[in-house]
Amino acid sequence: VRSAATSVDDLATRVLAGHLPSVARMISLAERGIDGAAEQVAHLYRAGGRARVVGVTGVPGAGKSTLVSVLAAAFRERGKTVGIVAIDPTSPISGGSILGDRVRMGRLAEDPGVFIRSMATRGALGGLSRAAGDAVTTLDAAGIDVVVIETVGVGQDEVEVAAACHTAVVVCSPGFGDGVQMLKAGLLEIADIFCVNKEDLPGAGAVVRDLKQMLRLGHTEAGAWRIPVLTTVATEDQGTAALADAVERHQEWLQISGELAIRERMLAASRIKNLALRLTLEEIEDPSGAEAFAQIVEEVRARRLDPLTAARRLMSNQHVGEGT
Amino acid sequence: VRSAATSVDDLATRVLAGHLPSVARMISLAERGIDGAAEQVAHLYRAGGRARVVGVTGVPGAGKSTLVSVLAAAFRERGKTVGIVAIDPTSPISGGSILGDRVRMGRLAEDPGVFIRSMATRGALGGLSRAAGDAVTTLDAAGIDVVVIETVGVGQDEVEVAAACHTAVVVCSPGFGDGVQMLKAGLLEIADIFCVNKEDLPGAGAVVRDLKQMLRLGHTEAGAWRIPVLTTVATEDQGTAALADAVERHQEWLQISGELAIRERMLAASRIKNLALRLTLEEIEDPSGAEAFAQIVEEVRARRLDPLTAARRLMSNQHVGEGT
């Protein structure tokens, strides 16, 4: 009988060898917070840095899932391996959505050069960003060329995930609510590329016009990236090659402009903060401190103590090992 | 010229006296993380504990906003003062939404017994829960009887906010996506009361049936709360009194069953965790450590260091004050 730690070690070795079933297993272990998994993801992180991360986000109903599958196929045609991390706030972990993905992705699901992973958003505070970060790190270490993160950009967490990428594609479509209006909450600011999907529907032209109008209002310095507004009909695979081209052009621009290092510093900072938050929660939830925590909670419930002082006490206890 | 700290002190005193403009100002200061505001909210926390918190959440388009305004009016008719904290993930801080609220709330907006506050979800990780918690604490300290938190239950953060209340009302409606299906992500589990709004639309009966079917599948022990499925037409003020009755019945049950203390312990634990996360982020983002943080970020970007080790170093540095 091997210990859990040993088998996680073996797993990391297989991930580095590009073994995709081990990638799936490593992501699951990290997601569930299994002992030793975080250390192994840390180890994998140091071995990575080659993958390019593309975020695809937008309002619900814009057709992001279909768009992601045709975009992945376009990258495959260019000889790249692709990982898809689909984050769906409405899907339970075990439910119809993973099967749905398989059906939706069609031939992609049978392509050994494509890895598809669905995640529900049922983790703890900020758990989504951490789980997505671990998945990216693992896919990167396994030698995947392009990782596409698909999120519904509705909550702050989703916006943060979409921002944690090299290239952010923001998708909208006509005929669903007020289109561009729905994009207000931070999505506009993170877009490197706009994609108006369902171009064949009435109102698509108006959405394109609104976006271009808005972009004209922004300042564009010489040498800055000019955010393109593309149109697609994902269900017909229309406009997909142009979208893949735009993603590649953006990544060339990142390299040439020096923006790549700036963006990768942002990604690193965001990973560090997420992990610091995870460590904080783990310490608070550590079983060895459960009794002390329950006592402090009771004090706060009874309003003899306020939550801020309680949080300070917990944190100073854990780190300094002094009483209060 | 008074110092910022002094004026925040004065503000807390005015909040305790029930002065609503000061409530608004205190919530804003806490939301923006102004020096001294967190301490004052902590002070207000110890003075509170009387308000009952009702969460209203559900899928987008279910008519929650209208439902909240008629529910608030129903509580007003019962002689209670009401605070409404509306969290809208698509609204920018300064935008149409606050004006929209004023219009939407109609006569409520002119009632001095009603306090309405909109919040966008553009904060940091878990920022939504913290800001909403501070708003509840402030309204409670000001003597408001019922605080209604309105959220769109799409992200994990929204689900957590909805769970941080005494009574959770989960709203759905026919004709928007697949109704009950949309509710999967954690919303079903937190419901104390289901409300099918837009009862006048085709398909409402099926949604009610689905919910009742699902509830029958759950176990109900003797003395447990039996989750009711109510129907409303919020735009016509239909079913509102029955909904307010159900909320009051639930709160009586909390008291009688002893569940109130259990739930308030959960609320206290959630507040403490949120604040511990805020303290962690504040320490990482403290300007005095900016240079050290930038160095560590650069190490991580260059893959000489992994994010987990970096996070551990930052946290041990901050608390113990030792180098690594």
Side-chain angles (χ1 to χ4, degrees), chain B residues 125-191:
Chain B
L125 281 160
L128 170 59
S129 316
R130 290 188 305 255
D134 287 347
V136 169
T137 297
T138 306
L139 289 164
D140 181 9
I144 291 282
D145 299 312
V146 180
V147 180
V148 182
I149 307 182
E150 176 197 336
T151 59
V152 181
V154 283
Q156 184 56 32
D157 215 19
E158 281 79 15
V159 172
E160 275 168 18
V161 170
C165 57
H166 293 101
T167 304
V169 179
V170 172
V171 187
C172 39
S173 72
F176 197 98
D178 44 2
V180 177
Q181 202 62 23
M182 280 286 281
L183 286 177
K184 273 180 177 171
L187 286 186
L188 287 181
E189 291 119 80
I190 63 161

Side-chain angles (χ1 to χ4, degrees), chain A residues 38-39 41-50 60 88-92 95-96 121-126 129 137 140 154-158 160 176 181-186 189 260-262 264-266 268-281 283-285 293-294 296-312 314-316 319-320, chain B residues 38-39 41-50 60 88-92 95-96 121-126 129 137 140 154-158 160 176 181-186 189 260-262 264-266 268-281 283-285 293-294 296-312 314-316 319-320:
Chain A
E39 300 291 345
V41 172
H43 173 65
L44 293 176
Y45 179 88
R46 289 192 300 273
R50 227 178 46 82
D88 179 354
T90 61
S91 80
T121 63
R122 308 199 45 186
L125 281 161
S129 317
T137 297
D140 181 8
V154 282
Q156 184 57 31
D157 215 20
E158 282 78 17
E160 274 168 17
F176 198 100
Q181 201 62 20
M182 281 286 283
L183 286 177
K184 274 179 177 172
E189 291 119 81
L260 185 62
I262 296 169
E264 294 201 320
R265 259 178 231 121
M266 280 174 43
S270 139
R271 290 282 284 150
I272 296 169
K273 284 180 191 176
N274 275 325
L275 286 162
L277 295 179
R278 169 148 72 184
L279 291 172
T280 302
L281 269 190
E283 285 179 9
I284 291 178
E285 289 167 354
F293 183 61
I296 248 178
V297 165
E298 179 54 27
E299 292 283 295
V300 170
R301 185 197 71 77
R303 312 253 162 189
R304 288 190 295 270
L305 187 67
D306 65 80
L308 182 63
T309 308
R312 285 198 181 124
L314 278 173
M315 291 179 71
S316 67
H319 292 279
V320 188
Chain B
E39 301 290 346
V41 171
H43 173 65
L44 294 176
Y45 179 88
R46 289 191 300 273
R50 227 178 46 83
D88 179 355
T90 61
S91 80
T121 62
R122 308 198 47 184
L125 281 160
S129 316
T137 297
D140 181 9
V154 283
Q156 184 56 32
D157 215 19
E158 281 79 15
E160 275 168 18
F176 197 98
Q181 202 62 23
M182 280 286 281
L183 286 177
K184 273 180 177 171
E189 291 119 80
L260 184 62
I262 297 169
E264 295 202 318
R265 260 178 231 120
M266 279 173 45
S270 140
R271 291 283 284 150
I272 296 169
K273 284 180 191 175
N274 275 325
L275 286 162
L277 295 179
R278 169 148 75 186
L279 291 172
T280 302
L281 269 190
E283 285 179 9
I284 291 177
E285 289 167 356
F293 183 61
I296 246 177
V297 165
E298 179 54 27
E299 292 282 295
V300 170
R301 187 198 70 78
R303 311 253 163 190
R304 288 189 296 268
L305 187 68
D306 65 80
L308 182 63
T309 308
R312 285 197 182 123
L314 278 172
M315 291 179 71
S316 67
H319 292 279
V320 188

Side-chain angles (χ1 to χ4, degrees), chain A residues 203-273:
Chain A
V207 176
V208 171
R209 214 160 39 238
D210 284 356
L211 285 171
K212 287 192 171 164
Q213 174 68 22
M214 189 199 66
L215 290 170
R216 257 193 299 276
L217 297 177
H219 303 279
T220 307
E221 292 151 43
W225 171 250
R226 294 179 67 89
I227 301 167
V229 179
L230 303 175
T231 55
T232 52
V233 184
T235 51
E236 311 276 323
D237 200 8
Q238 256 179 46
T240 322
L243 178 58
D245 286 344
V247 170
E248 291 187 338
R249 265 203 320 279
H250 182 253
Q251 300 194 339
E252 281 159 24
W253 173 81
L254 287 177
Q255 200 102 41
I256 293 163
S257 64
E259 177 75 16
L260 185 62
I262 296 169
R263 221 164 258 227
E264 294 201 320
R265 259 178 231 121
M266 280 174 43
L267 299 192
S270 139
R271 290 282 284 150
I272 296 169
K273 284 180 191 176

Side-chain angles (χ1 to χ4, degrees), chain B:
Chain B
V1 181
R2 295 182 306 176
S3 75
T6 311
S7 70
V8 174
D9 271 6
D10 291 355
L11 203 56
T13 307
R14 287 197 298 272
V15 167
L16 288 170
H19 184 242
L20 293 184
S22 299
V23 168
R25 180 119 185 86
M26 178 58 85
I27 294 173
S28 297
L29 294 180
E31 207 175 3
R32 282 154 47 204
I34 300 299
D35 266 0
E39 301 290 346
Q40 290 306 315
V41 171
H43 173 65
L44 294 176
Y45 179 88
R46 289 191 300 273
R50 227 178 46 83
R52 288 294 167 258
V53 186
V54 180
V56 176
T57 190
V59 300
K64 287 177 301 298
S65 300
T66 311
L67 189 69
V68 163
S69 59
V70 292
L71 182 61
F75 284 124
R76 287 297 294 139
E77 278 161 24
R78 291 159 198 225
K80 291 179 173 169
T81 53
V82 181
I84 298 171
V85 181
I87 295 164
D88 179 355
T90 61
S91 80
I93 294 270
S94 61
S97 90
I98 290 169
L99 184 62
D101 279 347
R102 297 279 157 206
V103 172
R104 184 187 85 192
M105 297 290 180
R107 65 201 160 105
L108 278 188
E110 278 154 39
D111 179 345
V114 176
F115 177 93
I116 303 170
R117 172 71 179 211
S118 286
M119 288 184 167
T121 62
R122 308 198 47 184
L125 281 160
L128 170 59
S129 316
R130 290 188 305 255
D134 287 347
V136 169
T137 297
T138 306
L139 289 164
D140 181 9
I144 291 282
D145 299 312
V146 180
V147 180
V148 182
I149 307 182
E150 176 197 336
T151 59
V152 181
V154 283
Q156 184 56 32
D157 215 19
E158 281 79 15
V159 172
E160 275 168 18
V161 170
C165 57
H166 293 101
T167 304
V169 179
V170 172
V171 187
C172 39
S173 72
F176 197 98
D178 44 2
V180 177
Q181 202 62 23
M182 280 286 281
L183 286 177
K184 273 180 177 171
L187 286 186
L188 287 181
E189 291 119 80
I190 63 161
D192 297 307
I193 295 167
F194 281 112
C195 176
V196 178
N197 191 31
K198 306 190 183 176
E199 192 205 349
D200 50 340
L201 291 188
V207 176
V208 170
R209 215 161 36 240
D210 285 357
L211 286 171
K212 287 191 171 167
Q213 173 69 25
M214 188 199 68
L215 291 171
R216 259 194 297 276
L217 297 176
H219 303 277
T220 307
E221 293 152 43
W225 172 250
R226 293 179 67 90
I227 301 167
V229 179
L230 304 175
T231 55
T232 51
V233 184
T235 51
E236 311 277 322
D237 200 8
Q238 259 181 43
T240 322
L243 178 58
D245 285 345
V247 170
E248 291 187 337
R249 266 203 319 280
H250 181 253
Q251 300 195 339
E252 281 158 25
W253 173 81
L254 287 176
Q255 201 101 41
I256 294 164
S257 65
E259 177 76 16
L260 184 62
I262 297 169
R263 220 164 259 224
E264 295 202 318
R265 260 178 231 120
M266 279 173 45
L267 300 191
S270 140
R271 291 283 284 150
I272 296 169
K273 284 180 191 175
N274 275 325
L275 286 162
L277 295 179
R278 169 148 75 186
L279 291 172
T280 302
L281 269 190
E282 276 176 1
E283 285 179 9
I284 291 177
E285 289 167 356
D286 192 283
S288 73
E291 203 178 317
F293 183 61
Q295 272 171 18
I296 246 177
V297 165
E298 179 54 27
E299 292 282 295
V300 170
R301 187 198 70 78
R303 311 253 163 190
R304 288 189 296 268
L305 187 68
D306 65 80
L308 182 63
T309 308
R312 285 197 182 123
R313 276 195 201 169
L314 278 172
M315 291 179 71
S316 67
N317 273 348
Q318 283 156 353
H319 292 279
V320 188
E322 292 173 357
T324 43

